[in-house]
Amino acid sequence: MKTIDELLAEGVAGKRVFVRADLNVPLDGTTITDDGRIRAVVPTVTRLAEAGARVVVASHLGRPKGAPDPAFSLAPAAARLGELLGADVAFATDTVGESARATVAALTDGQVAVVENLRFNAGETSKDDAERGAFADQLAQLADVYVGDGFGAVHRKHASVYDLPARLPHAAGYLIATEVGVLKKLTEDVARPYAVVLGGAKVSDKLGVIDHLLEKADRILIGGGMAYTFLKAQGHEVGISLLQEDQVPTVQGYLKRAEELGVEFVLPVDVLVAGEFPDLKTKAPAHPATVAADAIPADQEGLDIGPETCALYASKLADAATVFWNGPMGVFEHPDYAGGTRAVAQALAGSEAFSVVGGGDSAAAVRILGFDENAFGHISTGGGASLEYLEGKTLPGLAALED
């Protein structure tokens, strides 16, 4: 895989360099609520611009249905990128149409442009190779060189991620190089004890990574909505908590296998419950009750791990040399249910472990709860991509960058 430094050594002055970034940031209307993914691509864009490249940045945002949708415009992300670069960033109102062609043609050496949301074109996400390839052909007309730096999308076999690199000289940007280097530390010659913290809503989203990490981790801590499927697998009442009943047999198999392998599975001992889901817009007081994890009332829903579990999890992380964390411990967006996620973040921030926060909601939570990002070993920009890498899968976007 060619690095961006090798590309720069060959010279990029005057060349149109297509940077596939991940600007898929959360928006409240047109206001960006977490700009972490935009900041992550700044080093690559800055270095290319300084070297005289004409930089064309492209990304997806959200899940529009293959047609323009103002709600998913990249205009706010383009504006924020300009602020972070301290330079004007041109914005094309389409991806491969008249505006994109004119905007790219108007670039001079060292200037940067962002084209509109790639997913406004059906060819970007098409499962048909020919349709995807035709869109990649159009994108290739905008550039002389390709740099892959959208780590959050490398697990997708999409036109701009998988097909376009085959049509242009290509290299990996700084972000992808960093992310891959970090993930290798979680899979090759791992410093032990190795603890994994998994949360989030659905256990089905984490089945592959649990299956793979059972062979690698020393202990696995479970929180979030997925914890209730584990508690159910142990025979406990979970009330109206989030439950994937069809996954109970699989989870029971994991618990048995962990015992056979000597992997410690740590589940909540107490939880915060309420009779209804909290209002995340007004964040009105929810007045949760704390109950034992094996005594959740039939009419109550578990929404966060409890204080005893927070202390237990902190103790299980205290001596870890390596920690991978993916998924919040509860509904952290509401202050009454943020305690579990805050406790895990605090345990990692205060430890000497090499800690990796695995993207998505976990990364957002760290920032929303006010933690210094430098207190962690690495905060990933790609939750799904990180998980699939740890599952041992081949990621299309990384494979496409190999020579």
Side-chain angles (χ1 to χ4, degrees):
M1 188 182 294
K2 180 184 285 187
T3 68
I4 192 169
D5 288 330
E6 290 172 313
L7 178 67
L8 290 164
E10 295 171 359
V12 294
K15 293 182 179 179
R16 301 168 301 164
V17 180
F18 187 102
V19 177
R20 203 325 182 169
D22 180 9
L23 309 181
N24 185 28
V25 292
L27 293 171
D28 182 1
T30 59
T31 301
I32 297 168
T33 57
D34 180 6
D35 68 355
R37 284 177 169 165
I38 302 175
R39 286 187 285 115
V41 79
V42 166
T44 291
V45 174
T46 298
R47 189 68 190 88
L48 287 167
E50 288 174 347
R54 303 177 182 194
V55 186
V56 182
V57 180
S59 175
H60 70 286
L61 191 151
R63 296 187 177 182
K65 302 186 183 303
D69 183 338
F72 297 105
S73 174
L74 277 175
R80 181 58 180 148
L81 179 60
E83 291 172 356
L84 292 167
L85 293 172
D88 290 335
V89 169
F91 181 67
T93 55
D94 56 30
T95 304
V96 291
E98 184 177 336
S99 178
R101 291 193 296 271
T103 300
V104 173
L107 289 176
T108 59
D109 294 3
Q111 288 189 326
V112 179
V114 173
V115 297
E116 187 55 284
N117 194 335
L118 290 160
R119 291 186 183 174
F120 285 179
N121 302 76
E124 168 67 2
T125 59
S126 176
K127 289 183 169 55
D128 182 83
D129 291 348
E131 184 178 9
R132 240 184 20 254
F135 182 50
D137 287 339
Q138 291 179 290
L139 291 171
Q141 293 174 20
L142 299 175
D144 305 302
V145 180
Y146 177 94
V147 171
D149 214 31
F151 181 74
V154 294
H155 58 314
R156 306 295 188 191
K157 193 176 181 180
H158 290 170
S160 66
V161 176
Y162 179 76
D163 302 273
L164 185 55
R167 288 158 168 78
L168 295 169
H170 50 264
Y174 291 125
L175 174 61
I176 279 185
T178 298
E179 294 273 12
V180 171
V182 165
L183 289 170
K184 284 184 177 178
K185 288 186 178 181
L186 299 178
T187 54
E188 302 171 11
D189 299 322
V190 183
R192 298 186 179 280
Y194 179 15
V196 175
V197 186
L198 296 176
K202 295 181 179 180
V203 70
S204 57
D205 292 341
K206 307 289 196 303
L207 290 178
V209 76
I210 293 172
D211 186 60
H212 205 67
L213 288 175
L214 275 172
E215 305 289 338
K216 298 182 180 297
D218 297 301
R219 62 185 71 121
I220 299 176
L221 287 60
I222 302 292
M226 63 185 286
Y228 303 100
T229 301
F230 277 87
L231 292 171
K232 185 71 171 181
Q234 291 185 323
H236 303 311
E237 169 66 56
V238 297
I240 57 172
S241 305
L242 189 62
L243 172 66
Q244 288 188 281
E245 191 89 47
D246 61 324
Q247 299 298 338
V248 168
T250 302
V251 167
Q252 288 172 331
Y254 286 152
L255 292 172
K256 181 180 179 183
R257 202 165 127 224
E259 188 175 0
E260 293 169 350
L261 291 169
V263 176
E264 186 180 9
F265 242 109
V266 191
L267 299 179
V269 294
D270 64 342
V271 296
L272 300 187
V273 299
E276 60 182 8
F277 199 81
D279 189 324
L280 299 183
K281 267 202 167 168
T282 65
K283 294 185 171 56
H287 307 297
T290 303
V291 300
D294 61 357
I296 299 173
D299 63 347
Q300 299 285 297
E301 179 177 10
L303 296 165
D304 193 15
I305 57 174
E308 286 186 33
T309 306
C310 289
L312 172 65
Y313 285 13
S315 72
K316 296 294 183 182
L317 296 171
D319 69 337
T322 304
V323 180
F324 173 68
W325 171 30
N326 182 281
M329 298 292 99
V331 187
F332 74 91
E333 299 91 341
H334 192 288
D336 289 349
Y337 301 104
T341 303
R342 181 180 288 108
V344 169
Q346 187 63 61
L348 297 187
S351 80
E352 296 182 5
F354 176 66
S355 56
V356 178
V357 182
D361 287 340
S362 313
V366 163
R367 289 187 276 265
I368 289 169
L369 296 176
F371 286 89
D372 181 353
E373 292 183 41
N374 294 322
F376 305 88
H378 179 69
I379 297 181
S380 179
T381 57
S386 295
L387 289 176
E388 291 198 16
Y389 188 100
L390 293 178
E391 287 176 39
K393 291 184 176 180
T394 297
L395 305 188
L398 297 184
L401 294 175
E402 298 287 352
D403 291 318

